[in-house]
């Protein structure tokens, strides 16, 4: 069994990005600039945005966080998005999700100029990804594919079972894995909360991508020996062993499942750091106008 070290790969990619940014600035080009809109004080969202800001520093990017309270109106958010769309210094921006219930998330996403949509959530980017055109690919699926690439895991003809059908992870990662590309070229099954006999699908999987948000869901009796497991789950569970009083738990019962696998990602330190670095990569591509003019 080999542990897939997402943190190590992410650190290496951040160094590659930082080197490219210094080359850009030494040519007199501007620093890439990522902005983030953060609404309210959700613990997870605060942490993610803090990690994104730190990653920007490590990559040599400028970053701006625009904060609103939970009672922000949809029109205030739409105005903020319009300003970022029009700001020539901002190369890309994100609106950290989830948003409060009174805000129409889809409307917010569609207000973002797709050329600055470094999260890859806008329908233009989602659609272009699904037909294999250049686009901003959302960060978690891209991070997963990059891990498979860097660990030289052969996905051709493999049976890949994706657990979860979210717009952020399940659907796009299924698209990427079935794409005529490497990594890709897999036979993909998407299972979700309504799937009957999930275990039967899992037992035939060469690659399992678990993105349900259900801690410890994948147990040893569901895994074929030699399978590759990518665990996207990051549920906060109470813990007496950490300062914060919680720890992150993945969708896979790691201790029981890991000995069976050929490769497995830990939580934390697997997919999480790759998600952040993929956002950095998209921001660099936006600053360099490599996807759209
Ligand atoms: N919430 C959970 N994941 C993400 C992400 O990748 N981007 C944004 N904007 N919000 C999220």
């Amino acid at each position: 069994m080999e542990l897939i070290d997402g943190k190590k790969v992410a650190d290496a990619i951040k160094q590659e990005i930082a080197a490219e940014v210094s080359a850009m600035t030494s040519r007199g080009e501007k620093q890439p600039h990522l902005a983030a809109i953060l609404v309210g004080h959700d613990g997870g969202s605060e942490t993610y945005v803090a990690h994104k800001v730190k990653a920007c520093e490590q990559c040599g990017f400028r970053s701006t966080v625009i904060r609103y309270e939970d009672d922000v109106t949809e029109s205030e958010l739409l105005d903020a998005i319009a300003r970022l769309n029009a700001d020539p210094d901002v190369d890309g921006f994100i609106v950290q999700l989830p948003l409060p219930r009174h805000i129409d998330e889809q409307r917010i996403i569609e207000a973002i100029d797709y050329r600055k949509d470094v999260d890859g959530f806008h329908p233009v980017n989602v659609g272009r990804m699904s037909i294999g055109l250049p686009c901003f690919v959302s960060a978690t699926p891209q991070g997963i594919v990059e891990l498979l690439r860097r660990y030289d895991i052969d996905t051709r003809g493999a049976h890949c079972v994706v657990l979860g059908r979210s717009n952020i992870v399940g659907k796009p990662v299924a698209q990427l894995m079935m794409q005529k590309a490497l990594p890709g070229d897999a036979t993909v099954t998407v299972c979700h909360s309504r799937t009957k006999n999930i275990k039967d699908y899992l037992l035939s999987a060469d690659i399992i991508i678990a993105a349900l948000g259900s801690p410890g869901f994948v147990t040893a009796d569901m895994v074929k020996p030699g399978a590759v497991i990518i665990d996207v789950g990051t549920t906060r569970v109470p813990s007496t062993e950490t300062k914060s009083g919680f720890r992150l738990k993945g969708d896979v019962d790691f201790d029981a499942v890991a000995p069976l696998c050929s490769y497995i990602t830990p939580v934390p330190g697997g997919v999480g750091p790759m998600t952040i670095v993929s956002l950095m990569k998209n921001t660099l591509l936006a600053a360099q106008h490599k996807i759209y003019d």
Side-chain angles (χ1 to χ4, degrees), residues 7-19:
K7 180 157 187 323
K8 193 170 96 187
V9 175
D11 285 344
I13 297 175
K14 273 187 275 193
Q15 287 190 4
E16 293 165 19
I17 295 173

Side-chain angles (χ1 to χ4, degrees), residues 52 94-98 119 121 168 275:
K52 290 168 187 177
I94 64 160
V95 179
Q96 187 65 33
L97 305 178
D119 253 337
F121 292 168
I168 294 186
T275 296

Side-chain angles (χ1 to χ4, degrees), residues 52-66:
K52 290 168 187 177
V53 167
K54 186 168 165 224
C56 282
E57 285 164 18
Q58 292 168 329
C59 292
F61 296 177
R62 195 178 152 201
S63 67
T64 303
V65 179
I66 301 160

Side-chain angles (χ1 to χ4, degrees), residues 201-238:
Y201 295 103
L202 285 173
L203 276 171
S204 82
D206 304 304
I207 302 171
I208 297 173
I209 300 175
L212 290 168
S214 175
F217 180 91
V218 178
T219 49
D221 58 313
M222 301 178 185
V223 175
K224 180 168 84 171
V228 175
I229 300 204
I230 307 293
D231 189 350
V232 190
T234 52
T235 308
R236 290 176 155 211
V237 297

Side-chain angles (χ1 to χ4, degrees), residues 17-28 59-60:
I17 295 173
E20 199 145 338
V21 172
S22 21
M24 286 165 71
T25 49
S26 66
R27 288 194 298 265
C59 292

Side-chain angles (χ1 to χ4, degrees), residues 140-141 144 160-174 189-193 198 202 207-218 229-235 249-252 265 267 271 275:
T140 303
I144 292 168
C160 174
V161 173
V162 176
L163 298 181
R165 55 176 158 182
S166 68
N167 289 344
I168 294 186
V169 186
K171 277 183 213 159
V173 83
T189 302
V190 180
C191 297
H192 48 76
S193 53
I198 284 193
L202 285 173
I207 302 171
I208 297 173
I209 300 175
L212 290 168
S214 175
F217 180 91
V218 178
I229 300 204
I230 307 293
D231 189 350
V232 190
T234 52
T235 308
K249 188 159 166 48
D251 287 349
V252 178
T265 60
V267 175
V271 174
T275 296

